Amino acid sequence: MNKTDNDMKRRWLSLFVENRIGVLARVSGLLSGKSYNIHSLTVGETENPEVSRMTVCLDADDRTYEQITKQFNRSVEVIKVIDFTNLSIRTKEVMFIKVSGLNDRGRAELFQMAQAFKFRIKDMDSDSVLVEAVRTEIKNDSILNAIRSRFTNLEVVRGGPVAIESISMQDR
Amino acid sequence: MTKITGNEFFVKALQEEGVEHIFAYPGACVIEIFDEIYKQTQFDLILPRHEQGLIHAAEGYARSTGKPGVCLVTSGPGATNLVTGIADANLDSVPLVCFTGQVATGLIGNDTFQEVDIVGITRNISKYSIMVRDRAELNTAIKEAFYIATTGRPGPVLVDLPKDVMAEIGSDIYPEKVNLRGYKPNTKIHDRQISKAINMIYKAKRPMFLLGGGVKIARAVKDMTALMEKSEIPVVTTIMGKGSVPTNSPLYYGNVGMHGCYAANNGVNSCDLLISIGTRFNDRITGKLGTFATEAKIIHIDIDTASISKNVTVDVPLVGDAGEAIRKMLKAAEERGACETGKWRKQLEEWQIAEPLQQEEKEKLVPKQIIDAINELYDEPIVTTDVGQNQMWTTQFFEIYGRRQLITSGGLGTMGYGLPSSIGVAIGNPGRDVISISGDGGFQMNSQELATAVSEGLPITACIFNNGYLGMVRQWQDLFYNKSYAGTCLLRRKGRECDVNLRKGTKHCNGRKAECYPYIPDFVKLAESYGAQGIRVTKKEEIAEAFAKAKAKKDGPTVIEFMIQDEELVFPMIKPGGPITDLITGM
Ligand SMILES: Cc1ncc(C[n+]2csc(CCOP(=O)(O)OP(=O)(O)O)c2C)c(N)n1
Ligand SMILES: [Mg+2]
């Protein structure tokens, strides 16, 4: 009875929502209003311009997670909720890192890292380089850590992961 | 199809919905809608005196009739004044459709005069809220608003109407159907789950029904009563659920929760099967989570999936209409007969005898005397309450059976609810006796609504339990805060002894003294100034006469101010945050 679950883990939700003003506010407001902490939330239009899809990533225990999905399910603006936590999915996140204050050696090192870590150099000038990584969130974490360990003058922008159910190959 | 303006369509839509009364307060952004309402006679317009009073009236109307309450207010302050009522309706599942005027779409975002983002403000406290941005969307928006408000778990829906959209010409066709892909309320009860539940019921040794507000919302009181009688399973209720079965039934053991009775709270904690219907196990019911119904398996029936397993882990969840679930259980009970609950009921009765709900007579009036009088002198009253001690006493002592109803602000606990909600009740139930019960604090939060009752000629009996205090808060100070009565005396006046003492650092007011000013305000005079009948009752012997006078007044409201024992407390009481077996009985 009344078991207290201490099974915090990372969860993935894909929400189909009405593509309308206020719907993002409704979804994020629902999470914040109930003090649910989200890790990331991304949103964009789908093949149907009337529908947007959100990828919500959060850490929660079973009970909280169940509440969250129920709350979404009963929201008028939310058309469908898919729980990606235990499904085979493909995820990607866009991350930009601007590394500044570089000398020639530093730049060369960054180019080498780009090869090894599979990210791209998209832009540069005499002392800065713009890195673009489109990988899973975890791999982006590693890339960022690697760059951080070698360079100090960074500007980082991350988009949060988007996810889709995979056809045959999982990548999360 | 002829083309009509949004304002014209608004009126047409309400007529199509069969709306009979609209609770409305005018202003610049809705004046054209008012103009259209003026041209028709199918529904009438009630003008409360404050938008908070307005929405509580709509709530009273909706709760007592089961029909949606319809509100119309202007933009800006008109809209923000609705906010408390929207939150109240949301927590208590009251179907409301609230229309708010809005500045013209071209001006939105400019901090225009009387512009507020009311959709944003109410997003998290309403069932649904939306701005109509295009005349072409207006027709479906109104249809959907009524549909969403009244189906599934009912609740408040807000529709924001920009002035320019309403002036535009468009279709006059009110849609027959809605097509909401994100909203498909589930009412059907799952057959396998209900069979499982029924089997558990017949296996249990100490089964118990815990009924919340959902049984009444589902209009399933008759079937529930039959189920209780056929199955012989004892029933307890939340305060919202009181009246789900007749309170004078021998199988009914009272309310559970913070001020519930000993037998009911003990019962919940000793039963081996709790069948709860239409309640979300809010903290005022369960006490400390993890200590509630520890010996029981729990069957939980609720229309709202999100209410299930929110606060208490449930063994058999059943999502769907309470009425349907009750009827299925009733059918089983008719076939299988009564459960063997004789021994269990005997135990409950022993607890009932050991700690009955009671209140000793005192020098001054005690609330039970007043509520007993209502029980005796009225056949089928509809009683509304305010919030505080007055509410708890009413929910403890008011007997509900037949067509009697109790309407109270349970989820939000909104002071100022009693009087205005009774106005909506009276409007929706002509010919019925309508009584509101308020404290002297809460009454003053919406006392302006006496004007509405007078204007509409409503024979409401507004009872004030005057103890001179914000009694319920003072009770907590009395029991848990070392009798430090900070900000709970309603009679304090600058320069008088209590005030001087306070300045000297003697923190206590030490209770009522002869020199205390007796009235701020004089409620009898206040009533009379509105053209209402005002009566003050100080002795037990005067109670019946006062109610007789109130009944005799058919064309307007009566205020009865009962001067009650000022330091009376509500017992029993569970210590806030404590387990529900930890009862303070006050004896
Ligand atoms: C709008 C609002 N403000 C504050 C409270 C907190 N509160 C709960 S009961 C209470 C005291 C009510 O006093 P009164 O209306 O005189 O009723 P009594 O308890 O004395 O019967 C207060 C302040 C509330 N419930 N609602
Ligand atoms: Mg009081």
Side-chain angles (χ1 to χ4, degrees):
Chain A
M1 243 349 332
N2 301 333
K3 49 181 179 285
T4 45
D5 309 310
N6 223 342
D7 37 15
M8 286 293 279
K9 70 174 192 201
R10 173 125 320 169
R11 324 273 177 159
W12 294 81
L13 278 174
S14 186
L15 307 182
F16 293 72
V17 301
E18 300 287 349
N19 185 7
R20 247 198 263 128
I21 295 176
V23 176
L24 176 59
R26 166 82 191 169
V27 168
S28 61
L30 204 150
L31 291 161
S32 66
K34 306 223 172 233
S35 287
Y36 303 142
N37 204 354
I38 45 173
H39 178 70
S40 67
L41 189 158
T42 60
V43 58
E45 211 173 277
T46 63
E47 68 281 2
N48 176 353
E50 286 181 2
V51 177
S52 294
R53 233 171 128 166
M54 293 185 186
T55 305
V56 182
C57 181
L58 46 88
D59 297 318
D61 60 29
D62 283 344
R63 171 188 285 242
T64 311
Y65 185 61
E66 191 186 328
Q67 251 310 298
I68 292 172
T69 46
K70 283 174 172 174
Q71 294 286 348
F72 282 142
N73 263 315
R74 78 166 181 188
S75 295
V76 177
E77 299 88 341
V78 177
I79 302 162
K80 191 161 122 189
V81 181
I82 306 180
D83 181 359
F84 272 176
T85 309
N86 299 315
L87 294 182
S88 168
I89 54 172
R90 175 157 290 271
T91 78
K92 281 282 180 284
E93 184 201 31
V94 176
M95 174 172 73
F96 290 123
I97 306 173
K98 203 186 282 169
V99 190
S100 307
L102 287 173
N103 54 24
D104 287 350
R105 238 184 70 216
R107 188 176 317 119
E109 193 177 346
L110 202 53
F111 271 81
Q112 275 177 6
M113 287 173 83
Q115 299 258 306
F117 287 94
K118 298 208 183 81
F119 58 78
R120 271 170 286 190
I121 309 285
K122 282 295 195 183
D123 191 10
M124 69 177 102
D125 64 7
S126 57
D127 73 340
S128 48
V129 165
L130 182 77
V131 164
E132 177 192 281
V134 184
R135 307 291 299 281
T136 66
E137 195 189 15
I138 294 169
K139 285 182 184 141
N140 278 348
D141 286 345
S142 318
I143 292 168
L144 181 57
N145 283 338
I147 294 179
R148 208 176 245 153
S149 69
R150 307 295 303 150
F151 306 96
T152 46
N153 204 343
L154 307 183
E155 185 183 338
V156 180
V157 180
R158 302 181 68 161
V162 294
I164 192 162
E165 226 178 309
S166 55
I167 298 171
S168 60
M169 275 169 59
Q170 156 124 327
D171 184 22
R172 69 162 81 206
Chain B
M1 179 180 84
T2 41
K3 298 241 167 186
I4 58 177
T5 66
N7 295 309
E8 289 168 321
F9 179 77
F10 177 91
V11 165
K12 181 169 179 196
L14 264 55
Q15 291 172 339
E16 298 261 347
E17 283 292 337
V19 172
E20 288 167 6
H21 311 278
I22 179 167
F23 300 88
Y25 208 100
C29 281
V30 289
I31 192 162
E32 268 108 37
I33 303 179
F34 271 64
D35 198 44
E36 292 303 326
I37 294 173
Y38 189 76
K39 293 177 191 160
Q40 58 87 55
T41 53
Q42 205 165 315
F43 59 87
D44 68 340
L45 184 152
I46 315 284
L47 175 74
R49 297 308 194 256
H50 185 301
E51 289 91 349
Q52 189 192 354
L54 179 154
I55 188 167
H56 292 329
E59 284 186 89
Y61 175 84
R63 287 198 209 196
S64 59
T65 63
K67 298 179 212 160
V70 183
C71 306
L72 170 65
V73 300
T74 195
S75 67
T80 54
N81 273 345
L82 287 185
V83 167
T84 301
I86 291 174
D88 190 276
N90 198 42
L91 286 176
D92 284 349
S93 314
V94 183
L96 294 184
V97 181
C98 304
F99 295 100
T100 49
Q102 182 56 280
V103 302
T105 47
L107 298 174
I108 289 172
N110 295 0
D111 289 344
T112 310
F113 178 64
Q114 295 192 331
E115 177 199 351
V116 298
D117 174 15
I118 194 64
V119 170
I121 291 170
T122 56
R123 193 170 278 133
N124 284 354
I125 53 165
S126 62
K127 186 168 177 187
Y128 186 56
S129 91
I130 191 172
M131 181 192 286
V132 180
R133 288 166 195 276
D134 189 336
R135 173 66 182 83
E137 292 169 6
L138 178 68
N139 304 27
T140 43
I142 299 180
K143 177 77 189 178
E144 287 171 2
F146 277 92
Y147 179 73
I148 294 169
T150 52
T151 52
R153 174 180 170 184
V157 174
L158 184 137
V159 185
D160 202 22
L161 304 170
K163 202 169 164 142
D164 56 330
V165 172
M166 296 305 281
E168 238 176 86
I169 301 286
S171 156
D172 72 336
I173 295 173
Y174 194 58
E176 276 186 15
K177 285 211 180 81
V178 294
N179 181 19
L180 284 157
R181 51 190 167 183
Y183 179 77
K184 304 246 184 296
N186 170 39
T187 54
K188 238 189 106 34
I189 291 286
H190 197 286
D191 277 328
R192 230 185 26 240
Q193 287 290 87
I194 194 87
S195 309
K196 196 166 156 196
I198 290 164
N199 284 334
M200 283 166 79
I201 290 173
Y202 280 90
K203 278 203 192 106
K205 297 215 160 54
R206 299 182 307 281
M208 182 164 242
F209 281 114
L210 168 62
L211 308 179
V215 177
K216 288 190 270 181
I217 292 172
R219 310 260 136 190
V221 171
K222 269 210 182 88
D223 291 328
M224 185 60 229
T225 306
L227 172 59
M228 167 186 73
E229 285 165 356
K230 279 266 155 12
S231 65
E232 295 185 9
I233 296 174
V235 172
V236 296
T237 56
T238 68
I239 69 169
M240 298 306 287
K242 189 167 183 182
S244 302
V245 295
T247 55
N248 53 6
S249 158
L251 286 159
Y252 178 65
Y253 293 88
N255 289 337
V256 296
M258 184 168 275
H259 295 290
C261 53
Y262 179 72
N265 277 334
N266 257 5
V268 164
N269 259 31
S270 316
C271 66
D272 66 349
L273 179 68
L274 191 66
I275 313 134
S276 44
I277 310 180
T279 165
R280 63 177 165 269
F281 297 107
N282 140 322
D283 58 297
R284 285 291 189 268
I285 300 304
T286 60
K288 189 170 184 262
L289 282 173
T291 64
F292 177 77
T294 42
E295 294 183 23
K297 290 225 175 306
I298 300 181
I299 298 169
H300 189 180
I301 300 163
D302 206 292
I303 189 92
D304 177 22
T305 25
S307 287
I308 291 179
S309 287
K310 172 154 57 185
N311 299 321
V312 165
T313 311
V314 165
D315 299 282
V316 183
L318 265 160
V319 180
D321 176 50
E324 196 183 318
I326 289 166
R327 283 184 288 279
K328 288 197 164 154
M329 286 189 278
L330 176 58
K331 195 159 162 274
E334 278 163 349
E335 284 159 13
R336 296 172 70 163
C339 301
E340 276 175 40
T341 54
K343 235 174 87 190
W344 168 225
R345 274 156 49 207
K346 210 155 153 261
Q347 168 70 79
L348 290 166
E349 269 140 42
E350 275 165 26
W351 285 326
Q352 231 173 3
I353 293 162
E355 292 283 351
L357 267 187
Q358 57 188 6
Q359 204 167 45
E360 278 171 36
E361 304 222 339
K362 303 257 166 76
E363 180 194 349
K364 291 200 197 170
L365 285 172
V366 292
K368 184 168 188 296
Q369 293 167 328
I370 304 161
I371 296 164
D372 283 349
I374 294 173
N375 283 331
E376 254 169 61
L377 301 171
Y378 288 85
D379 285 337
E380 297 187 317
I382 305 179
V383 173
T384 71
T385 81
D386 215 274
V387 166
Q389 293 181 313
N390 60 86
Q391 173 187 35
M392 291 303 122
W393 286 316
T394 309
T395 54
Q396 287 182 331
F397 300 121
F398 180 48
E399 298 288 344
I400 314 177
Y401 46 80
R403 290 164 74 216
R404 287 183 171 208
Q405 284 188 48
L406 172 66
I407 289 170
T408 192
S409 165
L412 196 64
T414 310
M415 280 174 72
Y417 182 81
L419 174 66
S421 61
S422 75
I423 288 174
V425 172
I427 286 165
N429 300 271
R432 293 285 296 277
D433 290 316
V434 179
I435 302 171
S436 71
I437 293 178
S438 308
D440 45 335
F443 191 81
Q444 292 181 68
M445 285 204 177
N446 273 316
S447 57
Q448 79 285 343
E449 296 308 322
L450 278 174
T452 317
V454 169
S455 298
E456 295 292 329
L458 301 172
I460 292 163
T461 302
C463 303
I464 301 171
F465 288 6
N466 192 347
N467 52 10
Y469 296 126
L470 297 172
M472 184 53 94
V473 179
R474 192 177 194 275
Q475 169 160 350
W476 286 43
Q477 293 170 335
D478 194 348
L479 297 173
F480 314 119
Y481 293 89
N482 204 23
K483 301 191 191 298
S484 303
Y485 301 122
T488 46
C489 179
L490 292 169
L491 301 178
R492 226 182 97 211
R493 288 187 107 189
K494 218 169 170 147
R496 298 217 169 216
E497 193 196 302
C498 55
D499 182 52
V500 173
N501 278 347
L502 200 70
R503 270 151 225 280
K504 277 193 287 196
T506 320
K507 294 278 187 193
H508 292 203
C509 80
N510 287 329
R512 197 68 68 241
K513 297 236 172 59
E515 65 269 21
C516 291
Y517 199 77
Y519 311 114
I520 316 180
D522 180 330
F523 286 107
V524 172
K525 282 193 190 149
L526 180 75
E528 285 166 358
S529 78
Y530 278 105
Q533 176 172 227
I535 304 170
R536 178 168 297 124
V537 173
T538 53
K539 291 200 283 289
K540 189 183 171 191
E541 294 69 39
E542 299 163 354
I543 297 176
E545 193 195 329
F547 280 124
K549 279 190 189 152
K551 277 190 186 177
K553 178 141 179 85
K554 300 260 187 263
D555 60 347
T558 300
V559 173
I560 311 181
E561 182 191 26
F562 294 95
M563 307 306 292
I564 64 165
Q565 187 71 30
D566 29 55
E567 267 121 52
E568 191 65 25
L569 302 183
V570 183
F571 287 123
M573 178 174 196
I574 293 163
K575 205 176 156 151
I580 67 169
T581 40
D582 197 357
L583 219 57
I584 309 168
T585 59
M587 290 296 145

